[in-house]
Amino acid sequence: MDEQVDSALRYASVMVLIELARSRDYRDRADAGRALAGLAERPEAVGPLLELVLDTGDTFVTRVTAQALLRRNDVVGLSIVASALSAADANHRDWICTAIMDVLGIFSSDRDDAMRLSQELARGSDDRVSRGARQLLEILAEIDPVLRPVARG
């Protein structure tokens, strides 16, 4: 019973956030992007998240939504960012790259995990995601993270 309630509440939450994502105010869309990223595993959230990463009204929405998706540190978030990257114009690509640097430029382990997941996505059957994952791999390869594990010995 609890599982059904949780699922219904998650679905309702996604539906409310999708409405917020349609707002004329960029701040509302940015808030929706941040919150929807936490529910990105829900199939109904994927399309709206992709639209928010490629927001036509304000690239602030692009940046914060991409950051939130990347902070998930999972294949779901990376696949949405990769898909957006493959369809992005030069301006959106720059802001997605900025988000990538913001999130994955600090810890080498985060960057390395993203590279591993991106390699998996690059071999996938979804053409748009695999094309974006290859672009993501190129971007990640250029990042020299600030913090690396301490070598003992």
Side-chain angles (χ1 to χ4, degrees), residues 14 22 27 40 49-50 58 76 81 88 107 121 125 130 136:
V14 170
R22 295 181 181 134
R27 294 168 295 197
L49 280 164
L50 186 56
D58 198 302
V76 173
V81 171
F107 296 102
L121 289 171
S125 61
S130 61
L136 190 52

Side-chain angles (χ1 to χ4, degrees), residues 101-118:
M101 181 57 82
D102 291 345
V103 176
L104 301 173
I106 305 300
F107 296 102
S108 63
S109 59
D110 290 345
R111 193 265 333 254
D112 295 346
D113 289 344
M115 288 186 77
R116 183 182 47 76
L117 292 172
S118 295

